[in-house]
Amino acid sequence: MNSDLVLLEGDGPLRTIRLNAPERRNALDLALLGELAAAIAAVAADADARALVVAGAGPAFCAGANLESMFGDITRPVHELRAHLKSVYASFLGLRELTIPTIAAVQGAAVGAGLNIALACDLVIAGPRAAFGPTFADIGLHPGGGCSFLLTERMGPAHATAALLSGDIITAEDAVRRGLANLLAEDPEAKAAELAARYAQRSQNLNADIKRSVRIAATSDFSTSLDFESWAQASSVGSEEFGRYMEDFRKR
């Protein structure tokens, strides 16, 4: 699938979704978001896709939303704006529903809604010039698009509150130190592709169950987590990968 504003690229079992409006730093409007939603849906329906990298063309990952396009008529009643915004959020939050590993390669600015797109992925790889901007409050806007949840999930409530209240840009080094990003890499897309290729070699069921297990652990009690984990591990014992490992182990 190729389009003007979003590219969906394939390389064996790997897929890359690339925001492709570098002349405007990949700022989001409704047209781009529509293409992004379609690309995510295509990956979800692709049985051969084993891992996904999300990247931005040009020097920025995503400079946030084109506010005129994003909000439209701001004089509308709150309930109408809310319904509109929830449909906007859904266009990129489908990344969280994918069962394959997802990795954001952030080489430059990821601001506002662009930050949300990165945080919706399982891992975030930051380049040395990456900059993460939870800047909503600075323009008089409450955070949206899942930002409050996604930042809290990664940084904890105290650090998330401080980041959202300040609206300050977070550097790549600070992002890794504070848990917002996972790794710092000179070439974040190359590193993301390397990790994606490694994950893609594993069983799709194993990757999906690991993601589900962590979600359960983050939202449930120990007993519930252990219940799922014991089922998932027992199920994986019969996998070809584990069988090969046991054969090799017995030969040692």
Side-chain angles (χ1 to χ4, degrees):
M1 168 186 166
N2 285 316
S3 62
D4 290 333
L5 298 173
V6 175
L7 304 177
L8 177 53
E9 303 160 0
D11 180 11
L14 307 186
R15 301 292 177 268
T16 299
I17 290 177
R18 191 178 308 282
L19 308 181
N20 189 43
E23 71 287 349
R24 66 185 201 219
R25 303 174 70 217
N26 300 315
L28 306 171
D29 60 12
L30 295 183
L32 190 153
L33 286 168
E35 293 186 13
L36 178 58
I40 295 169
V43 172
D46 185 351
D48 295 324
R50 298 295 183 95
L52 173 68
V53 173
V54 180
F61 179 78
C62 177
N66 176 313
L67 298 180
E68 291 284 353
S69 177
M70 182 71 72
F71 291 101
D73 179 7
I74 62 174
T75 66
R76 284 179 290 174
V78 167
H79 71 276
E80 290 186 15
L81 277 167
R82 182 190 189 200
H84 167 71
L85 288 172
K86 289 183 79 172
S87 70
V88 169
Y89 302 162
S91 63
F92 57 83
L93 289 178
L95 287 167
R96 279 183 64 85
E97 306 308 315
L98 294 175
T99 59
I100 62 174
T102 58
I103 308 173
V106 181
Q107 81 285 23
V111 177
L115 171 63
N116 294 341
I117 291 173
L119 295 180
C121 296
D122 298 318
L123 279 74
V124 176
I125 310 301
R129 289 168 291 284
F132 301 88
T135 56
F136 299 93
D138 268 354
I139 60 172
L141 195 63
H142 190 281
C147 194
S148 303
F149 181 94
L150 296 170
L151 278 181
T152 300
E153 184 177 57
R154 288 177 178 270
M155 303 171 69
H159 287 302
T161 301
L164 290 170
L165 287 175
S166 73
D168 290 343
I169 297 296
I170 300 170
T171 66
E173 293 82 0
D174 278 349
V176 173
R177 179 176 57 83
R178 295 160 70 175
L180 191 157
N182 298 89
L183 293 172
L184 182 63
E186 186 64 33
D187 186 337
E189 187 170 343
K191 184 63 177 179
E194 174 192 328
L195 292 173
R198 178 182 175 190
Y199 304 154
Q201 294 174 3
R202 297 194 181 126
S203 158
Q204 286 178 294
N205 289 337
L206 178 60
N207 286 334
D209 285 343
I210 286 172
K211 290 180 59 163
R212 185 179 173 194
S213 186
V214 172
R215 294 273 177 91
I216 291 172
T219 58
S220 304
D221 57 26
F222 181 71
S223 177
T224 302
S225 177
L226 192 66
D227 188 58
F228 177 79
E229 199 174 57
S230 61
W231 171 85
Q233 187 171 62
S235 298
S236 69
V237 167
S239 69
E240 292 182 11
E241 295 90 339
F242 187 68
R244 287 194 297 268
Y245 176 82
M246 288 300 293
E247 284 183 19
D248 292 341
F249 181 80
R250 293 186 184 108
K251 294 174 183 176
R252 295 175 188 172

